[in-house]
Amino acid sequence: MSVGDPEAQPAADIPDVALHFQEWWTRYRAAIPARRFSMSVPTRRSRGPACWTVAAADLVLVAPSNPVVSVTPILTVPGVREALAASARSSAFLR
């Protein structure tokens, strides 16, 4: 199940500007040192079925292609972080 929020936008904060993560990664090939990475998150979002699915699953795998653009948007969906932490079943984050 896809859980990430398509409206969450990752950014690389570099001196004097914040670039969209994909621009920093592909256009600049990550050659400019980033001070930090941030995620713009919409203020109004619904939980959707993600939390219910986590609660009912026998096993939850979080398998990102990149932690900044994969894991962070998943964890910003309201309730997902808490659902993973509260799950009585197994959860695994693959890297």
Side-chain angles (χ1 to χ4, degrees):
M1 159 180 255
S2 177
V3 177
D5 187 334
E7 293 181 33
Q9 296 296 314
D13 294 329
I14 61 173
D16 302 322
V17 70
L19 295 173
H20 189 280
F21 180 85
Q22 291 298 342
E23 181 179 12
W24 174 80
W25 185 253
T26 57
R27 181 176 181 188
Y28 295 100
R29 299 179 186 247
I32 304 169
R35 293 183 293 209
R36 69 183 187 99
F37 298 100
S38 60
M39 181 72 59
S40 66
V41 180
T43 56
R44 296 173 56 203
R45 295 179 295 160
S46 64
R47 291 178 185 241
C51 297
W52 307 313
T53 302
V54 167
D58 291 325
L59 175 66
V60 178
L61 293 176
V62 179
S65 61
N66 181 299
V68 174
V69 295
S70 297
V71 174
T72 302
I74 291 169
L75 296 177
T76 61
V77 173
V80 168
R81 183 185 303 262
E82 295 80 5
L84 287 170
S87 176
R89 295 178 172 81
S90 296
S91 297
F93 285 82
L94 307 177
R95 35 181 178 149

